Amino acid sequence: MELCPSVKNVLLLDSEGNRIAAKYYCDDWPTNSTKEAFEKAVFTKTQKTNARTEAEIAMIENNVVVYKFVQNLHFFVTGGEDENELILATVVQGFSDAVGILLSTCSRGQVDKREALENLDLILMCLDEIVDGGIILETDPNVIAGKIASQSLDAGGPLSEQTISQALATAREHLTRSLLK
């Protein structure tokens, strides 16, 4: 029986190996100290590589880890040793690109640790849109960022601060809701 692809964890670390955001979807690391030890091992093994142009792959503790670096942010997606690396690479690329889209629309327009920490809620929402319980839901960064932007706008963003496409998406959602009532 063929199983669907799954993710064990998604990590976002800074350039010193400190956790910015992390979601674990399995019990391989039951305590916070084992999670921190795994994050340290992942960072130590990958820090000297140049994963800035495209995702790289490593085997760490019998897990496939696919990673990519953007500025001072390090994105990691972990799967089982038999997991398809291309699928995990698509997840890490979608995550890093969606975060890039979301953070570049913020005040300074930069994708870095400071913006990530200031907009941690968007990053956590991004993780929730990509993976749920280890099952991959979405990898298209534009779709992910669009869903998060519409959720943020529904939470009270003024219509005057929306782009045309966001305003049309909001109008379409409101029309759909009113028709379904």
Side-chain angles (χ1 to χ4, degrees), residues 116-180:
L117 290 172
E118 288 176 1
N119 296 286
L120 190 57
D121 58 332
L122 297 178
I123 291 172
L124 294 174
M125 286 177 18
C126 187
L127 286 172
D128 290 341
E129 290 294 331
I130 296 170
V131 180
D132 184 22
I135 304 300
I136 302 164
L137 301 176
E138 182 63 65
T139 59
D140 184 331
N142 294 315
V143 172
I144 297 163
K147 286 181 180 179
I148 293 167
S150 68
Q151 289 173 9
S152 298
L153 291 173
D154 286 346
L159 199 58
S160 62
E161 293 180 9
Q162 297 180 22
T163 65
I164 292 173
S165 62
Q166 290 171 330
L168 288 173
T170 303
R172 190 177 317 119
E173 279 185 46
H174 289 294
L175 177 64
T176 304
R177 284 185 197 149
S178 66
L179 291 174
L180 294 175

Side-chain angles (χ1 to χ4, degrees), residues 2 8 11 19 25 35 37 58 69 72-73 76 84 100 105 114 116 125 130 141 150 155 165 170:
E2 192 87 14
K8 288 186 170 189
L11 308 172
R19 181 190 301 175
Y25 305 104
K35 291 175 184 175
F69 305 154
N72 57 359
L73 299 176
F76 300 91
N84 186 320
T105 60
R114 181 176 175 202
M125 286 177 18
I130 296 170
S150 68
S165 62
T170 303

Side-chain angles (χ1 to χ4, degrees), residues 54-157:
E54 57 185 53
E56 298 283 333
I57 301 167
M59 279 295 285
I60 301 172
E61 299 177 8
N62 293 324
N63 295 294
V64 175
V65 179
V66 181
Y67 58 97
K68 182 172 180 159
F69 305 154
V70 178
Q71 302 290 353
N72 57 359
L73 299 176
H74 295 209
F75 297 84
F76 300 91
V77 175
T78 305
E81 62 185 331
D82 296 328
E83 199 59 66
N84 186 320
E85 295 90 352
L86 293 175
I87 292 174
L88 297 177
T90 303
V91 173
V92 80
Q93 189 68 46
F95 180 38
S96 64
D97 289 351
V99 168
I101 291 168
L102 291 167
L103 294 185
S104 66
T105 60
C106 296
S107 59
R108 296 184 305 143
Q110 295 180 351
V111 180
D112 62 8
K113 178 183 175 182
R114 181 176 175 202
E115 283 297 321
L117 290 172
E118 288 176 1
N119 296 286
L120 190 57
D121 58 332
L122 297 178
I123 291 172
L124 294 174
M125 286 177 18
C126 187
L127 286 172
D128 290 341
E129 290 294 331
I130 296 170
V131 180
D132 184 22
I135 304 300
I136 302 164
L137 301 176
E138 182 63 65
T139 59
D140 184 331
N142 294 315
V143 172
I144 297 163
K147 286 181 180 179
I148 293 167
S150 68
Q151 289 173 9
S152 298
L153 291 173
D154 286 346

